[in-house]
Amino acid sequence: MLESVLKGLALGFALALSVGPIIFTIIKQSLDNGHKGGFSFVAGVWISDIILVVLSNTLTAVVSALDEHKQVVGTLGGVFLILMGVFFAFFKKVSIGKDAGGPDTRFRKRDMARLFASGFIINTLNPGVIFFWLGNTTLLAVNHTLRERTVIFSVCLLVNMSADVGKVMMAGKLRNKLTIQTMSVINKISGTLLIVFGVALVYGVIFLHKGNTH
């Protein structure tokens, strides 16, 4: 059991420290919308991760289908990132209001639902996330029982969720010190990074996949 906990910790830290579109978007949403916005977004990411872990460990046929259609999934994910990046970089209106939990907030339930859905979609359509869970499930299934894998992935998810909470809280503290100009620059940087991730993702799944088939 201790071995499973240690492996879960290692896997969780590896996931939490990985650099990808999710980490930038978590910080971006937290800066724009305060703690409520940040937590709404990461809640969608968490539910997506939990579903992917369950599918990877229990529904082999579904996971195999995802693997067979990884080019389609990757392309959709890349396009989604590009569109989100373009919106952040060129169309997102910059404003600094009170924290989403403040008395004068205009942050509504439908805004929370929108951010939740955004977090769920961006995580689910990210092939890197899908094959992180799928790859580790496949490796661990060789020498670990379902119970041991349950411990490993539960610890991993808890570590990653704790890291996400830290990112939201950190961004929330920075938010009070930002100016309109700084937020505008952050919008453009965040949007550009998402566009780069999206283009790289589409290029990888289309052109590199074609190269591997010859």
Side-chain angles (χ1 to χ4, degrees), residues 27-34 88 92 95 97 175 183 187:
I27 295 173
K28 173 71 176 57
Q29 295 294 355
S30 301
L31 288 173
D32 279 354
N33 302 299
F88 283 158
K92 176 70 175 177
S95 63
R175 185 169 180 261
M183 286 292 293
N187 266 353

Side-chain angles (χ1 to χ4, degrees), residues 50-62:
I50 291 171
I51 291 174
L52 290 173
V53 168
V54 172
L55 289 178
S56 296
N57 280 278
T58 59
L59 302 178
T60 307
V62 175

Side-chain angles (χ1 to χ4, degrees), residues 18-41:
S18 61
V19 178
I22 297 296
I23 183 174
F24 293 108
T25 313
I26 289 174
I27 295 173
K28 173 71 176 57
Q29 295 294 355
S30 301
L31 288 173
D32 279 354
N33 302 299
H35 291 158
K36 278 190 178 180
F39 285 126
S40 297
F41 181 84

Side-chain angles (χ1 to χ4, degrees), residues 124-135:
T124 304
L125 292 181
N126 185 347
V129 174
I130 294 174
F131 297 112
F132 174 86
W133 295 122
L134 175 60

Side-chain angles (χ1 to χ4, degrees), residues 63-115:
V63 175
S64 298
L66 284 174
D67 185 56
E68 292 174 2
H69 297 89
K70 61 184 178 182
Q71 188 172 4
V72 175
V73 174
T75 302
L76 288 174
V79 170
F80 183 77
L81 289 180
I82 292 171
L83 292 175
M84 182 175 286
V86 169
F87 174 72
F88 283 158
F90 302 106
F91 300 104
K92 176 70 175 177
K93 293 182 179 180
V94 179
S95 63
I96 301 179
K98 296 186 178 181
D99 187 88
D104 298 326
T105 181
R106 292 179 296 172
F107 201 74
R108 298 156 294 186
K109 289 184 177 180
R110 67 181 182 184
D111 296 318
M112 295 173 67
R114 173 178 55 82
L115 290 175

